[in-house]
Amino acid sequence: LGKCLLSPIVLAAYAYNRSLSELGPGGRPEGEPGLLCQLFAFLMAFFGLAPTLLLLAMALECWLSLGHPYFYRRHLTRRLGATLGPAAAGLCALFCALPLLGFGVPMQYCPGTWCFIRMAGGGPSQLGFPVLYASLMGLLVLAIGACNVSSMRHIYGMARRQPRRGTPATAAAPRMEELDHLILLGLMTVLFTICSLPLIIRAYMGAFAADFNENADLSALRFLSVNSIVDPWVFIIFRTSVFRTFVRRLCRRL
């Protein structure tokens, strides 16, 4: 949904050879974010935060189902799962709308085809939101990492309790299935952390070190976008039987 909403705006800016601030209704000169630029900044912030919150919900569910199965069976229902998505989206929308209300400033970045919240320069009211945004992202990253590491520990313990070599193939199958889940969780946790940290670091550097570097900010946003592109492919490729067979043979050799 984020790609479908944001990509046409960028393509229109390239097609008309104009910046986002000039494209919207009542186009403004360079440096002043227009309505379209403000909308773009809101969508960038929203689709950076909302999937992270949903990832936390998925990590919590995985951790509870593995580590606390009785609590999970009794308290987590389909109705609760169905309400988590809209609730997370609503909370993220309210939080990311704060710059439109004056707490934080949308800003057009070079080359004029993307907008985000100003992460360097300005007063406390302008830099308070990016610091709060980065802090919230950092807490979500830590929580997701902790839940996934705990889930991996439970999966590893389950695999250790499975029969060793020399047992029938049917008895050894659960051990390999748990190994598949363990490696998949580890890959996705590492990718998510690597892709999220640059934005958090840039926000703190811009607020406390007054480091205004548009190229570095653009790289941080690219890392954040890469996560939403790569993660599904990692999941799809790793679930194929050929790749899983290759990983199993490699693990046996190691």
Side-chain angles (χ1 to χ4, degrees):
L1 182 60
K3 297 293 184 291
C4 291
L5 290 175
L6 290 168
S7 298
I9 301 176
V10 178
L11 294 175
Y14 277 109
Y16 289 100
N17 197 25
R18 301 171 68 184
S19 67
L20 295 184
S21 295
E22 297 171 324
L23 270 181
R28 304 181 182 186
E30 293 290 339
E32 294 186 30
L35 294 177
L36 190 61
C37 183
Q38 294 179 25
L39 174 64
F40 194 93
F42 167 77
L43 291 176
M44 285 287 289
F46 175 79
F47 286 109
L49 188 63
T52 310
L53 201 57
L54 291 177
L55 279 175
L56 175 61
M58 294 167 64
L60 279 171
E61 186 204 11
C62 185
W63 171 64
L64 287 173
S65 64
L66 289 170
H68 306 277
Y70 293 109
F71 179 88
Y72 176 82
R73 180 73 175 174
R74 177 175 296 181
H75 296 285
L76 270 71
T77 61
R78 289 182 179 270
R79 181 177 299 178
L80 176 63
T83 58
L84 276 177
L91 288 174
C92 290
L94 289 175
F95 179 76
C96 295
L98 289 176
L100 304 178
L101 303 176
F103 184 65
V105 178
M107 175 183 172
Q108 179 177 281
Y109 284 83
C110 183
T113 54
W114 70 288
C115 296
F116 194 63
I117 310 303
R118 178 188 288 273
M119 291 192 288
S125 61
Q126 296 178 341
L127 297 180
F129 180 79
V131 171
L132 190 60
Y133 186 89
S135 301
L136 182 57
M137 283 284 292
L139 289 175
L140 291 176
V141 169
L142 287 175
I144 292 170
C147 288
N148 284 346
V149 168
S150 180
S151 298
M152 290 163 64
R153 184 175 61 84
H154 287 298
I155 292 174
Y156 180 72
M158 291 164 62
R160 287 287 299 272
R161 289 191 292 271
Q162 294 295 332
R164 296 288 180 177
R165 286 185 178 182
T167 57
T170 54
R175 178 183 179 86
M176 297 310 301
E177 185 177 352
E178 287 148 8
L179 180 64
D180 292 338
H181 289 295
L182 183 67
I183 297 174
L184 179 62
L185 264 180
L187 281 175
M188 297 183 76
T189 303
V190 170
L191 279 172
F192 173 74
T193 304
I194 292 174
C195 292
S196 302
L197 282 179
L199 180 67
I200 299 171
I201 295 171
R202 284 303 307 164
Y204 279 109
M205 289 182 65
F208 298 110
D211 182 17
F212 186 76
N213 188 338
E214 290 193 21
N215 290 329
D217 293 340
L218 179 58
S219 299
L221 263 296
R222 282 174 174 163
F223 266 98
L224 192 65
S225 300
V226 162
N227 179 64
S228 61
I229 299 171
V230 173
D231 254 356
W233 281 106
V234 169
F235 185 80
I236 292 168
I237 292 172
F238 194 80
R239 299 305 292 176
T240 60
S241 58
V242 176
F243 189 78
R244 291 168 69 181
T245 303
F246 168 76
V247 171
R248 290 175 180 179
R249 288 179 178 176
L250 180 64
C251 289
R252 287 195 185 103
R253 287 183 178 275
L254 293 176

